[in-house]
Amino acid sequence: MKDVRNASRIGRLQFLSDEQKRDIYLAALEIAGSIGMKVYHEEARRLLADAGAEVDGELVKMPRYLIEQARQSVPAVALIYDREGELAMELGGYNSYFGTGSDLMHTYDLETRERRDSVLEDVARAARLCDALPHMDFIMSSAHPTDVNPHHSYLLSFREMMRNSTKPLVMTAENAKDLRVMVEVATELRGGEEQLRQKPYFVVYNEPISPLEHPVESVEKLFLCADTGVPSIYSPAPLAGATAPITIAGHTAQGVAESLFGLVMHQLRRPGAPFLFGIGAAVLDMVTAQSSYNAPEYYQTYMCMVDMARWLDIPNWGYGGTSDSQLLDAQAGMEIAQLTFMAMMQGSNLNHDVGYLDFGLTGSLEEIVVVDEFVGMNRKLFQGVDVDRETMTVDTVREVGPGGHYMTTEHTYRHLRSAQWRPTVLNRYGYEKWEAEGSKDLREKAGDKARKLLAEHEPSALPENLSRVLDEKVNRFTDRVA
Amino acid sequence: MAFDKLIELVQVGDGQQVAAEVQKQLDAGNSAPTILNDGLIAAMDIVGEKMESEEMFIPEVLRSAKAMEQGLAVMKDELALDDVQASGKVVIGTVKGDLHDIGKNLVSMLLSSAGFEVIDAGINVAPDAFVAKVEETGANFLAMSALLTTTMPMMKQTIAELEQRGLRDRVKVIIGGAPVNQGYADELGADGYASDAGAAIKLAKSLRA
Ligand code: B12
């Protein structure tokens, strides 16, 4: 496991004061309790009514105590294990992990550098690349294959991800039917339902619809997760100014209410099941009608959401390594750096969408490489600073004395390999050397690295019996569903 | 110009004052069609241009459209409103299986602000439901939105359904949504595709003409 548990060693960014957090929480309770939300899933409505919610047709008003009760039963930490059963992520507290996003319709081809429709092979490639990259902690599909039956796409992507990496997954699914097949495969992988509950292999990304609606499919998937112990994200994507208030506090309060509403349904279904809180803080650009992932208002609501998650002590779903730009240019560099740094500074837990361009429509493997490098560089930063006799090393300073140098002291040798972080694609060449190496910019160097890793990296193979089970289950589904 | 003030008020989006100004123009002896064409519609043309040039924000455009409607309401007896709008009656919706509606709603609001009569069928609209709506309302436009590759094929099914019921020639089919493109529109035999709300309005206007 990449150990990122250094929370106590560094200062953290705070966007909201404790009083402001309480105010937003109270506003969320008011939204859930006095306005209520539409729940289209019948069984969920019955469950809520039995627990004491006020149900009128499809409209459900949530009394405060149900939310308080759910906050008591939801675990503060969710442990996620990789394909081999090793602990991979401890979600909660200030631990930050990063991975790709899902379902990009277009992909920048590594060879031609042109944008084209995504194909299933892109899912496999992204998974294999992330398997090789040290700072990509989990894997989503990245691409949404356009060369297969769309109703098979999530499951076929799942197969490619599982085959091409041992890292844990975050899955999207069309509905409970394809999701169930994924859960069955994971159950086989772990050797039983109880074992899967102990060691979840993937997390599921579920969403309500802003404002204030909970569709049947979302709740079905949420319940399936609760039943099987597969951790569920329940994160709305309210667009500020369109499906949520345009102001940061209103955007946050509505999002908090929607996510917590899901938490109640989830915890009523099975108390103690692992859950991730979140808000996709998208902002509607009022001129271009694009949903920005990098507007400063986006960062603000995102950071308020993380503040709320830490205050509620529930693990959170977050974002990182994403740009609105159309290609991996200076804008992209600026945006992915700012978003990713803020996620780490705030201790946002499970951060996805690494490699996104074009408002979540186009993917870039080069960008994934660049973000991996950026996360690595900042993990060094977030280790904090050791201050002791050895690191202050006054004795070495005495030994070297005025006018001396440190290049060959014992102390330098002792720390040479560990004290400094080394880039792999960021430039540290002087002009002549850089020119001799082909005058490459970051995108070219990241492309070179991605191509090399894809050519050389062999992910550990799926055991024979499992591979067979996976194929059988996927084929049975694709035969059945037209 | 006689309508300078009216044009200004529509742009500012003050519906009450637009209504009052329209009344004043009627009292001054201007005919309703003249006020409509040289006042209200002229104002909305400017609003459209300002939206294109990024001077006006979408919510401001919507406010102007609402103000224009308030002005129209004053003249509803003078104008046979049905005649004005008969040139464009649109059934719009998001296709079956798809719950994304922000883009659809924007297109819908801007179409009505451009003078189309819009019937919003909502989200998750099945092919037969689309066709039933077209039949029931006598619409001459069908606008479909899809944001998911899993739901795009519903557009094809809806067009097939239209053909089956012999309605295909009566309606212009326009489509949009993030995964949709011109190539897909051509493949389906749709009458048009637009990548954003502004382009959607231009497209609908050009097809109406
Ligand atoms: C907001 C959002 C949601 C919200 C929707 C809320 C709502 N009320 O609509 C929620 C959270 C519910 C959601 C759910 C899902 N989403 Co979503 N979502 C988005 C997001 C981020 C923005 C869409 C948006 O509203 N944009 C702003 C509007 C204004 O733009 P627009 O819709 O494109 O519309 C403009 C044009 O396309 C055009 N237009 C639109 N319609 C029409 C119609 C006509 C006739 C014309 C002419 C023009 C036209 O004009 C509009 C105005 O300019 C997109 C990413 C993206 N950038 O598109 C993903 C995205 C569309 N979603 C995606 C996915 C996968 C899902 C889910 C399946 C996720 C899941 N596993 O649960 C579910 C599906 C739910 C369902 N059954 O529909 C994928 C689709 C991938 C694919 N290839 O299919 C995307 C691309 C994100 C991604 N890469 O993962 N989503």
Side-chain angles (χ1 to χ4, degrees), chain A residues 157-402:
Chain A
S157 297
F158 173 73
R159 173 159 69 183
E160 293 307 323
M161 291 151 76
M162 197 170 181
R163 277 178 179 162
N164 283 283
S165 174
T166 57
K167 292 187 178 176
L169 313 179
V170 175
M171 292 309 307
T172 47
E174 189 176 9
N175 50 44
K177 291 200 195 80
D178 49 352
L179 181 59
R180 187 171 294 282
V181 182
M182 297 176 201
V183 174
E184 282 171 17
V185 173
T187 308
E188 291 283 337
L189 169 72
R190 293 295 190 238
E193 285 171 17
E194 202 38 50
Q195 286 87 336
L196 178 63
R197 198 180 295 283
Q198 293 302 321
K199 293 190 168 185
Y201 165 49
F202 62 82
V203 177
V204 180
Y205 181 12
N206 294 316
E207 304 167 299
I209 299 206
S210 303
L212 316 179
E213 292 187 294
H214 302 270
V216 174
E217 292 81 6
S218 306
V219 176
E220 252 171 29
K221 289 187 278 180
L222 185 72
F223 279 180
L224 180 56
C225 288
D227 294 345
T228 56
V230 170
S232 175
I233 296 154
Y234 202 70
S235 172
L239 250 92
T243 56
I246 199 168
T247 44
I248 309 301
H251 195 194
T252 309
Q254 184 188 306
V256 168
E258 290 165 338
S259 186
L260 288 180
F261 209 92
L263 174 73
V264 173
M265 294 191 274
H266 184 255
Q267 293 296 306
L268 283 176
R269 180 78 176 199
R270 185 167 176 126
F275 180 92
L276 277 89
F277 169 86
I279 304 174
V283 171
L284 189 72
D285 182 296
M286 288 301 182
V287 169
T288 63
Q290 295 296 342
S291 67
S292 173
Y293 286 68
N294 287 95
E297 306 79 40
Y298 178 101
Y299 298 146
Q300 286 178 296
T301 300
Y302 176 17
M303 293 300 112
C304 289
M305 178 274 284
V306 183
D307 269 1
M308 293 303 297
R310 295 294 78 81
W311 187 78
L312 294 161
D313 205 13
I314 305 176
N316 84 281
W317 175 235
Y319 295 76
T322 300
S323 171
D324 292 347
S325 181
Q326 290 301 333
L327 73 171
L328 191 54
D329 59 358
Q331 177 184 341
M334 186 174 133
E335 290 176 343
I336 59 186
Q338 170 131 355
L339 179 68
T340 311
F341 182 79
M342 290 183 89
M344 295 182 88
M345 192 72 203
Q346 194 93 338
S348 176
N349 300 146
L350 187 64
N351 304 300
H352 76 304
D353 285 354
V354 169
Y356 265 33
L357 293 170
D358 179 20
F359 317 97
L361 296 175
T362 303
S364 154
L365 295 177
E366 294 115 325
E367 187 183 358
I368 297 175
V369 168
V370 170
V371 176
D372 179 75
E373 177 112 333
F374 184 84
V375 173
M377 172 173 134
N378 282 286
R379 280 188 168 158
K380 155 76 178 160
L381 204 74
F382 282 85
Q383 279 168 6
V385 179
D386 289 321
V387 181
D388 55 30
R389 300 296 304 168
E390 170 64 14
T391 56
M392 289 185 293
T393 195
V394 177
D395 289 342
T396 314
V397 180
R398 181 175 298 117
E399 180 191 318
V400 168

Side-chain angles (χ1 to χ4, degrees), chain A residues 32 37 68 97 168 250 267 324-325 345 452 462 474:
Chain A
M37 305 195 193
E68 298 285 333
Y97 299 92
Q267 293 296 306
D324 292 347
S325 181
M345 192 72 203
K452 186 165 158 26
L462 205 55
V474 170

Side-chain angles (χ1 to χ4, degrees), chain A residues 102-103 105 144 207 359-360, chain B residues 97 99-101 103 145 148-149 177 195 197:
Chain A
S102 73
D103 303 304
M105 251 120 27
H144 183 97
E207 304 167 299
F359 317 97
Chain B
L99 309 172
H100 293 85
D101 66 357
S145 181
L148 298 170
T149 42
S195 65

Side-chain angles (χ1 to χ4, degrees), chain B residues 20 33 50 82 105 183 209:
Chain B
K50 285 193 172 171
D82 287 346
N105 291 346

